[in-house]
Amino acid sequence: MQAPATTYKPEELEALVAPIALYPDAVLSQALMASTYPLEIVLAARWVKANPNIKGDAAVKAVEDQTWDVSVKSLVAFPQVLEPMSDKLDWTQKLGDAFLADQAGVLAAVQRLRVKAQETGHLKSNEQQTVLVEPATTTTQTIVKIEPANPEVIYVPAYDPTIVYGGWAYPYYPPYYWPPYPAYYPGYAFGAGIAWGIGFAVGAAIIGGITWGGGGNVNINVNKAVNIDRNFDRNKVGAGGRWEHDAGHRKGVAYRDNATREKFGRGTGASTRNDFRGRSPATANRGGLGERPAAGGAGDRGNLANRPQAADRSSLDRGTGGSASRDRAFQGVGGGSAAQRDVDRGRASAGASNFNRPSGGGARGGGGRGGGRR
């Protein structure tokens, strides 16, 4: 008998997608796909930090020999998306878990938030984007699509959800939020609504899309995916280019619930889950990713990004395919122990900045990155 899937409340899903619901459809689709591979997100973000002068499509070309999923590779062209996903790893994993369990629910939450942003006047066509609206019918909800105004130059907005959506109606599920990274959004003033920041020439990096009708599907352009990853397996794409999760890129990170684990995670279980957390068997029963929710939040305590660990790094090395040297790992080759150090720093940073509590966010070295709310 198949185990029941985790159910998510609509307001819980809205809180999760709040920071990215106003992304262009293609970028949103790629972020959702990549969120299901959190360890590869960390490795790709390390590569970006080690190669700050390689940008856009050139960055995607430079990582073609990496073993990451094509959705993760595509995000090196969008460091303003990739770096927060690595820094806020607890949010990224919960987003991926929700997307695997209830793809239609996640996409419906995006549409509800887009309608709210339209009603407040914050979502509209401009120099950076084109907003297309398909009115509701007797059988369908209103569908709001967001496309780049120039397909060759993509702008990714950053914003405070409590402003652009006109307040927040769910006190038990406050929206995730972090201030825009100054490196990508220079001059942003807190409370100013949407920040557009720097546009990137990334035509070749766009592999994803969303079909909104019929509950919604995230899709992959197979031909573009092959251009990014010559080893891309066309057989792992559903009918019509529908995206399908590849458990091989999960790298031992456990799935949240039994139904998802049975569907994708044969071969991943308690031991690999504890390996990813860097925990010994003696501490394995203290709760895990997404468990022991914090007050006012959806499972923030006990999560990967918030729990500094005693370093059982060899186990994470096993999950990433070897114990490469620090220099090679920093370049994104191998990456086991270096990824663990990066995750450890992210956990320590999250704890120091009270990431799960409302705040203005503090500066962080190099990019001035803020801790943010939630």
Side-chain angles (χ1 to χ4, degrees):
M1 180 177 179
Q2 187 174 13
T6 296
T7 57
Y8 292 83
K9 296 179 180 179
E11 54 268 34
E12 185 177 8
L13 293 177
E14 288 185 29
L16 280 170
V17 301
I20 62 174
L22 303 188
Y23 283 4
D25 286 4
V27 179
L28 172 65
S29 72
Q30 290 169 210
L32 290 172
M33 289 185 276
S35 70
T36 67
Y37 311 116
L39 183 53
E40 292 189 344
I41 286 286
V42 173
L43 297 175
R46 285 189 64 81
W47 186 94
V48 166
K49 291 176 183 177
N51 299 275
N53 296 322
I54 307 178
K55 302 182 184 298
D57 287 338
V60 176
K61 180 67 175 176
V63 299
E64 65 179 352
D65 291 330
Q66 301 295 338
T67 59
W68 316 324
D69 185 77
V70 67
S71 65
V72 177
K73 289 183 179 182
S74 72
L75 286 187
V76 300
F78 302 98
Q80 71 273 54
V81 176
L82 179 64
E83 290 191 39
M85 290 182 74
S86 176
D87 291 345
K88 317 304 181 185
L89 202 56
D90 67 328
W91 166 77
T92 298
Q93 181 154 358
K94 282 182 277 190
L95 176 67
D97 288 341
F99 187 58
L100 288 174
D102 188 5
Q103 184 174 147
V106 168
L107 295 178
V110 166
Q111 284 298 329
R112 291 193 298 273
L113 291 179
R114 288 182 174 185
V115 170
K116 291 178 182 179
Q118 269 203 311
E119 291 173 348
T120 64
H122 286 102
L123 180 59
K124 53 191 175 183
S125 296
N126 54 26
E127 296 178 357
Q128 293 84 15
Q129 67 183 10
T130 299
V131 178
L132 305 171
V133 180
E134 297 179 3
T137 68
T138 55
T139 58
T140 63
Q141 66 177 7
T142 299
I143 294 176
V144 181
K145 300 179 181 179
I146 303 176
E147 300 176 354
N150 177 355
E152 299 301 319
V153 181
I154 310 296
Y155 291 85
V156 180
Y159 50 86
D160 183 339
T162 61
I163 294 175
V164 299
Y165 301 128
W168 197 257
Y170 316 120
Y172 290 104
Y173 293 98
Y176 285 81
Y177 169 69
W178 44 89
Y181 288 13
Y184 307 117
Y185 300 92
Y188 175 77
F190 181 75
I194 292 180
W196 286 106
I198 301 169
F200 288 89
V202 290
I206 297 300
I207 61 163
I210 300 176
T211 300
W212 291 106
N217 285 307
V218 166
N219 305 314
I220 286 184
N221 184 315
V222 173
N223 293 329
K224 288 189 172 183
V226 171
N227 288 336
I228 291 176
D229 183 352
R230 56 180 174 268
N231 295 316
F232 181 76
D233 188 350
R234 295 171 179 265
N235 294 322
K236 292 184 177 179
V237 176
R242 187 181 68 253
W243 172 77
E244 293 185 355
H245 176 68
D246 184 352
H249 288 280
R250 189 74 174 181
K251 296 294 191 292
V253 182
Y255 294 98
R256 177 185 175 95
D257 59 66
N258 289 334
T260 311
R261 187 157 48 249
E262 290 175 7
K263 183 176 181 180
F264 300 113
R266 295 181 180 88
T268 64
S271 62
T272 50
R273 178 168 63 248
N274 293 331
D275 281 350
F276 182 67
R277 293 174 189 159
R279 297 167 67 187
S280 66
T283 60
N285 294 323
R286 293 184 183 173
L289 297 171
E291 298 170 8
R292 298 167 67 185
D300 291 329
R301 288 187 297 186
N303 276 313
L304 175 65
N306 294 331
R307 185 187 291 273
Q309 310 285 349
D312 180 13
R313 291 170 183 161
S314 62
S315 61
L316 187 62
D317 291 339
R318 291 194 298 273
T320 56
S323 53
S325 69
R326 175 177 179 138
D327 290 341
R328 288 183 63 223
F330 193 71
Q331 295 298 327
V333 181
S337 59
Q340 178 67 65
R341 287 193 294 274
D342 193 53
V343 172
D344 289 342
R345 283 197 295 273
R347 283 194 289 259
S349 173
S353 61
N354 291 323
F355 170 54
N356 295 319
R357 302 176 189 172
S359 71
R364 179 179 166 187
R369 297 163 175 81
R373 274 186 242 141
R374 189 74 182 267

